[in-house]
Amino acid sequence: MSTAIDEQPVFAPADSLLRFATAGAVDDGKSTLIGRLLHDSKSLLADQLEQLELASAERGDEQLDLAMLTDGLRAEREQGITIDVAHRYFETARRAFIIADTPGHAQYTRNMVTGASTADLAIVLVDARNGLTEQSRRHAVLAGLLRVPRLVLAVNKMDLVDFGEPVFRGITEEFAEFTAQLDLRDITAIPISALRGDNVVHRSAAMPWYDGPSLLEHLEEVEVAEEGSTGDFRLPVQCTLRTPGYRGYAGQIASGVLAPGEEVLHLPSGLRSRVVAVDTADGELDRGRAPQSVAVRLADDIDVGRGDMLCAPGNAPAVAEELTATVCWMSARAALEPGRRLLLKHTTRTVKAVVAGIGDRLEITTLERVPAERLELNEIGEIDLRLAQPVFCDPYRENRTTGGAVLVDESTHETVGAVLIS
Ligand SMILES: Nc1nc2c(ncn2[C@@H]2O[C@H](COP(=O)(O)OP(=O)(O)OP(=O)(O)O)[C@@H](O)[C@H]2O)c(=O)[nH]1
């Protein structure tokens, strides 16, 4: 194993970013996999590598203890109170990556929802010896619900099943059967050994029967849908920028494209205006696209403030004071019950909400919908919400930003629910 630092490539600027989440049960090898990706793609700094070698040598390990890299990260995370998902950046010559490492234990549903809601791809890790478990099924269901566009089934620990093709085929076939019922469009299965590095960054000689890409090759090549920039234009307004002679409405474009000269609709007023300019910190743009942060200048004097929305006049979002939504309940303190008062944070708007009713609960491993009176921690179900003011929203399946929201406890300010608007 080469560890020479001067081999570190000079990174060309990566031309695109892939956000991916890792999901697996405890001990399936997530930490080892992430460590292996960082190590073999030479994404570690000299001092991190040195520390790793030292610590592994002290323990008398022949192999580098790659999980230590992510465990270090987890220690950092544990100092925080509410952040359960650690994010890690790395890049290769071809692409930049942000990994959302979602811990496998206890609060896995909550963590996976947090980590995967913005992911372009989810890696579901399976231990080859155990095959598919209830957790693997849960992860696949959640990825489908959250509409993560791509999924990798990484069958890990292939070294412990003699790199056997039948084991891999058995697991992938079972997975395909299960996911046929889900809304998952793009699934790639890769046999790996995170510990030895087989098919993680480099292709493995131990599995000649597999002729697909290594995991990193796949991550580098997979197309990232230009998410957002394809949909209708939506700009949730964060604030108004005002200096003498200047007024721009600032925010991050949630979806679509906007160019000067185009007409936009302002919500809640329903007024329309023409775009004079789309500004950024680096100057004016010919066109702004999701997920850029911009300030929009309008031809007319409209009263625009935080929580409002500028959008395409043709296919405007719903202005809704009542919502039906799928909710993942994340609070260990109390179950979600009808009558509960909460805050709904939707894009840049926060409104008071009351739970008007609870519909079905999703039995996640069988995909059955069963009647429910309440939702406990980590349960997923359909609820009706009544809002004190409207939100401007799209169905989650059409727009992950304007279709998503979180529920917050009014007194503790804790995030207690992830909301996918129907
Ligand atoms: N033989 C073998 N062991 C592996 C492989 N990948 C991981 N392991 C071992 O499996 C154990 C668990 O690995 P981790 O990376 O800590 O697992 P994890 O999924 O991150 O577990 P948590 O951090 O507890 O969620 C460790 O002892 C690893 O060395 C592999 O490909 N082959």
Side-chain angles (χ1 to χ4, degrees):
M1 181 184 305
S2 164
T3 50
I5 300 305
D6 57 7
E7 277 182 17
Q8 192 118 345
V10 178
F11 293 127
D15 58 0
S16 65
L17 174 74
L18 183 86
R19 292 170 184 275
F20 67 92
T22 50
V26 174
D27 280 349
D28 282 350
K30 281 187 312 300
S31 302
T32 308
L33 176 64
I34 294 172
R36 174 60 68 191
L37 270 174
L38 297 174
H39 179 269
D40 288 9
S41 64
K42 305 204 166 39
S43 303
L44 297 178
L45 299 173
D47 60 335
Q48 288 176 310
L49 195 50
E50 211 169 297
Q51 256 184 348
L52 182 66
E53 283 170 357
L54 260 172
S56 303
E58 267 171 24
R59 288 175 169 209
D61 281 355
E62 269 176 44
Q63 298 267 15
L64 288 179
D65 182 8
L66 293 167
M68 204 186 86
L69 287 168
T70 6
D71 293 343
L73 236 142
R74 288 195 183 154
E76 282 165 33
R77 172 176 57 214
E78 274 153 20
Q79 288 166 15
I81 296 158
T82 52
I83 307 162
D84 300 316
V85 178
H87 289 91
R88 173 114 206 189
Y89 177 89
F90 77 103
E91 61 182 33
T92 65
R94 299 187 57 191
R95 188 171 254 177
F97 301 92
I98 294 175
I99 312 173
D101 171 25
T102 64
H105 39 266
Q107 312 245 320
Y108 55 87
T109 304
R110 176 170 105 174
N111 293 328
M112 175 143 177
V113 168
T114 312
S117 57
T118 55
D120 304 305
L121 180 147
I123 299 178
V124 173
L125 211 62
V126 171
D127 184 325
R129 293 170 304 176
N130 304 337
L132 286 195
T133 60
E134 188 177 314
Q135 282 229 24
S136 333
R137 293 192 175 88
R138 280 176 189 269
H139 292 314
V141 170
L142 288 174
L145 265 182
L146 295 166
R147 297 193 70 79
V148 179
R150 298 193 157 70
L151 202 129
V152 171
L153 174 68
V155 180
N156 190 31
K157 307 197 186 182
M158 286 300 292
D159 54 301
L160 298 180
V161 293
D162 294 329
F163 298 104
E165 182 174 10
V167 177
F168 176 70
R169 295 278 164 238
I171 294 172
T172 51
E173 275 158 29
E174 198 185 340
F175 193 71
E177 226 166 83
F178 180 71
T179 52
Q181 318 160 64
L182 303 175
D183 197 5
L184 283 166
R185 287 144 292 171
D186 187 313
I187 302 174
T188 305
I190 305 179
I192 64 169
S193 166
L195 189 67
R196 297 178 15 131
D198 299 80
N199 288 336
V200 177
V201 170
H202 308 293
R203 292 195 197 185
S204 167
M207 288 174 273
W209 46 266
Y210 171 76
D211 58 5
S214 72
L215 177 64
L216 184 67
E217 283 169 347
H218 179 70
L219 296 176
E220 284 183 327
E221 280 160 18
V222 71
E223 253 180 68
V224 182
E226 274 192 53
E227 203 193 338
S229 53
T230 49
D232 291 304
F233 176 72
R234 309 275 186 256
L235 177 74
V237 177
Q238 241 148 35
C239 62
T240 304
L241 301 177
R242 235 187 270 264
T243 53
Y246 181 92
R247 182 159 23 141
Y249 307 114
Q252 185 177 20
I253 302 177
S255 58
V257 175
L258 185 71
E262 287 177 355
E263 197 175 52
V264 286
L265 174 73
H266 170 248
L267 293 175
S269 74
L271 297 171
R272 293 176 182 218
S273 184
R274 195 174 45 78
V275 176
V276 174
V278 181
D279 299 315
T280 67
D282 302 321
E284 286 183 35
L285 298 177
D286 291 342
R287 47 184 42 220
R289 61 175 63 239
Q292 285 176 316
S293 290
V294 298
V296 176
R297 277 180 277 156
L298 298 178
D300 303 284
D301 200 3
I302 301 179
D303 185 16
V304 181
R306 179 179 173 83
D308 293 359
M309 193 176 285
L310 299 176
C311 52
N315 188 16
V319 177
E321 282 187 62
E322 284 176 7
L323 293 178
T324 299
T326 300
V327 168
C328 170
W329 187 245
M330 300 176 170
S331 172
R333 284 175 209 264
L336 179 68
E337 288 179 304
R340 175 84 186 259
R341 289 175 189 282
L342 293 154
L343 294 174
L344 181 82
K345 275 196 180 182
H346 174 264
T347 68
T348 54
R349 187 168 257 249
T350 302
V351 300
K352 289 190 171 181
V354 62
V355 180
I358 298 200
D360 291 344
R361 184 169 63 76
L362 178 69
E363 193 56 72
I364 214 168
T365 41
T366 59
L367 299 175
E368 260 179 296
R369 293 193 171 269
V370 290
E373 281 166 16
R374 65 181 67 79
L375 293 178
E376 306 281 351
L377 171 67
N378 286 324
E379 288 186 342
I380 292 175
E382 199 166 76
I383 66 166
D384 293 317
L385 288 169
R386 231 177 11 246
L387 312 179
Q389 283 102 34
V391 293
F392 317 119
C393 60
D394 296 288
Y396 184 82
R397 65 176 182 281
E398 285 171 21
N399 193 317
R400 283 166 92 196
T401 308
T402 57
V406 294
L407 289 168
V408 174
D409 186 291
E410 265 184 296
S411 47
T412 62
H413 302 287
E414 227 187 329
T415 297
V416 289
V419 176
L420 316 176
I421 297 169
S422 303

